[in-house]
Amino acid sequence: MSGGTPYDKVMLARAKGRATAAEYINRIFTDFIELHGDRHFADDKAVVGGVAYLAGMPVTVISMEKGKDTKSKVYRNFGAPNPEGYNKALRLMRQAEKFSRPVVCFVDTAGAFCGLGAEERGQGRAIAQNLAEMITLKTPIISIFIGEGGSGGALALACSDEVWMMENAIYSVISPEGCASILWKDSKKVKAAAQSLRLTAQDMQKLQVAEKVIPEKGSFDACCRTMAQDLRAAFDARRDIPKDELIKTRYERFRKYGAQIVPEDF
Amino acid sequence: MDLRGLFKRPANELEKGGRTPAEATAADTFEVKRECPSCGAKIAESDLPDMYYVCTCGHHFRMNARQRIDFICDEGSFTEMFSDLETKDIINFPGYEKKLREARLSSGEDEAVICGTASVLGHKCAVFVMESLFMMGSMGTVVGERITRLFEYATEQGLPVVGFTVSGGARMQEGILSLMQMAKTSGAVKLHSDAGNFYLTVLTDPTTGGVTASFAMLGDIIMAEPGATVGFAGARVIEQTIRKKLPQGFQTAEFLLEHGFIDIITPRSEQKRVISTLLAMHEKGSGGDIS
């Protein structure tokens, strides 16, 4: 399913019936126990987190869940987190740090929720806090983009040691629709915007924003089995790295996004 | 310290003391006036600097970055840093080069942030001031890099950072790399903070999007200017999403104060004094650090 225009990828990333985080979690981990709430305000249904085993290793899992049918989509707020979702994620990350559990994040959101309550409860601050805290979290973090990676709302679960992307996942500073309407005042220019923004998984690898692109071929079960092995191997490789070095390497990963990354074929 | 007169400069040929043309009978013939959106008063452009760009009714007009540096920093104390970093059209985004050229012309700056060191009533600090006239203060790789370097320098030197934010958010013309600046700057702020250094943010109109969701909201103390728009999502986008009219005063500094997200709203005329006092209170070895 590779190839196609960037806009085709956008459509695939959002496609009805595309696997959501719950389906990955069920296959990659065992004994997943969901843990609810941010301990301040509410339990955000768009963010699902908990503890589980990854090939026998206890890990913390945090995901954005879009839901599958209309009813569950509404219940999950279409995967658009409110501040309490980010606060819950941060609570679970700190818990993971305390118990030296690695963290796996699944990213799938059109963006942080744009709402009155979200602003009243500090959406900007919630995201900012996650960015700052994730970069210095003393346990390994890997984020996997399974569908849409919408702007700061996605980044708030992706300040990680590695970012992996499904072949048809996207990651963008703004939706192509938003870009077309703000920049060109023309909603018909969505396809051109998708092209110009460089938002495909393949672009992310070229720009060194993603370390790995996971092919979407063969059976979903087999793909998840491979992901489980790869995740386990990536965490095993970091087991003996001193905490301060782990943080230094993570900071350097983001530090490099200056003007020096210029892929030749752009 | 009396700041009045600091910005006094001739606004036009007439003010330079040139001959008054005979036909100029009314004083407002040549004077450009700005209407206050709050009270409707018409204020002569040349009077605005002396008023710190604040109307008598309290409305705060926007100020450009250099004016702000002159106004906050002790005279001659500001030393600019990292100005050599040049903006590139990394992802070859349509129209970006042209936009950059226009922004340079309209703002007189080469990017949307100015960084350096300065003193405020004698208290040394690292300073960044964003520029709204440069692509609405949007954050691309150079803005992110300058701010990151400033925090790294301040961490090294054990200096506090005072930052004035004004931004429409991440700069979409730089694609995903502009989003990465949110993570990069937040990381640099965190390391500065973990080393025990003080960071004061001053949110000015407007501070939104990716800047709100990164270094703007990470200050130890968050100050805002009266009436400044501060938020994450744009009001229009929210209205479209929830299909409701937003309440009066939504996403203003006062709204944020009410909801507990900022520490203090400080009018421009008070800022220099309050900032210097806060810097003094956080100075290392000032006696406040009981150990």
Side-chain angles (χ1 to χ4, degrees), chain A residues 182-250:
Chain A
I182 296 172
L183 215 52
W184 297 319
K185 318 270 182 247
D186 184 354
S187 57
K188 289 191 209 75
K189 291 199 171 159
V190 173
K191 287 180 186 180
Q195 172 79 38
S196 302
L197 283 166
R198 313 285 173 182
L199 45 64
T200 67
Q202 294 70 28
D203 287 330
M204 291 309 117
Q205 202 167 25
K206 279 186 204 158
L207 290 163
Q208 301 174 38
V209 170
E211 275 74 11
K212 189 207 265 290
V213 176
I214 301 166
E216 293 181 25
K217 60 176 184 214
S219 83
F220 184 58
D221 284 343
C223 179
C224 288
R225 275 197 298 277
T226 309
M227 282 165 80
Q229 286 165 8
D230 291 352
L231 280 169
R232 181 67 208 251
F235 290 137
D236 283 342
R238 285 177 172 83
R239 195 191 285 268
D240 298 323
I241 297 177
K243 307 272 193 246
D244 52 346
E245 203 179 308
L246 186 74
I247 292 166
K248 191 167 171 275
T249 309
R250 194 179 302 138

Side-chain angles (χ1 to χ4, degrees), chain B residues 2-160:
Chain B
D2 187 13
L3 290 165
R4 277 168 196 280
L6 258 180
F7 299 103
K8 193 70 184 167
R9 63 172 72 95
N12 54 37
E13 289 303 312
L14 292 179
E15 279 211 348
K16 275 184 190 163
R19 287 178 301 114
T20 308
E23 61 271 28
T25 45
D28 59 356
T29 307
F30 293 93
E31 186 62 277
V32 180
K33 295 211 171 185
R34 211 190 289 196
E35 188 174 326
C36 173
S38 194
C39 73
K42 292 193 170 59
I43 307 159
E45 200 68 39
S46 60
D47 288 340
L48 278 167
D50 283 352
M51 302 161 78
Y52 326 105
Y53 290 84
V54 178
C55 179
T56 44
C57 78
H59 174 79
H60 284 53
F61 290 101
R62 286 178 192 166
M63 256 176 129
N64 70 41
R66 297 281 167 192
Q67 286 168 336
R68 221 176 254 290
I69 288 167
D70 286 348
F71 156 65
I72 289 292
C73 305
D74 297 340
E75 202 180 336
S77 73
F78 181 73
T79 310
E80 190 167 351
M81 297 168 84
F82 321 121
S83 58
D84 56 327
L85 291 166
E86 210 184 312
T87 307
K88 294 183 191 129
D89 180 13
I90 303 169
I91 61 166
N92 200 11
F93 196 94
Y96 186 32
E97 293 277 11
K98 184 166 170 268
K99 269 236 162 87
L100 285 171
R101 279 197 300 275
E102 287 165 1
R104 286 182 194 120
L105 273 177
S106 64
S107 66
E109 300 295 340
D110 64 345
E111 252 302 346
V113 72
I114 300 169
C115 296
T117 55
S119 60
V120 181
L121 296 182
H123 301 285
K124 202 174 177 208
C125 56
V127 182
F128 70 84
V129 184
M130 300 186 80
E131 174 60 84
S132 64
L133 293 176
F134 196 100
M135 295 183 76
M136 205 50 232
S138 65
M139 172 162 63
T141 48
V142 168
V143 170
E145 185 68 20
R146 282 186 186 168
I147 288 172
T148 301
R149 286 195 192 180
L150 187 75
F151 273 94
E152 287 176 343
Y153 176 80
T155 306
E156 234 172 72
Q157 303 290 320
L159 279 176

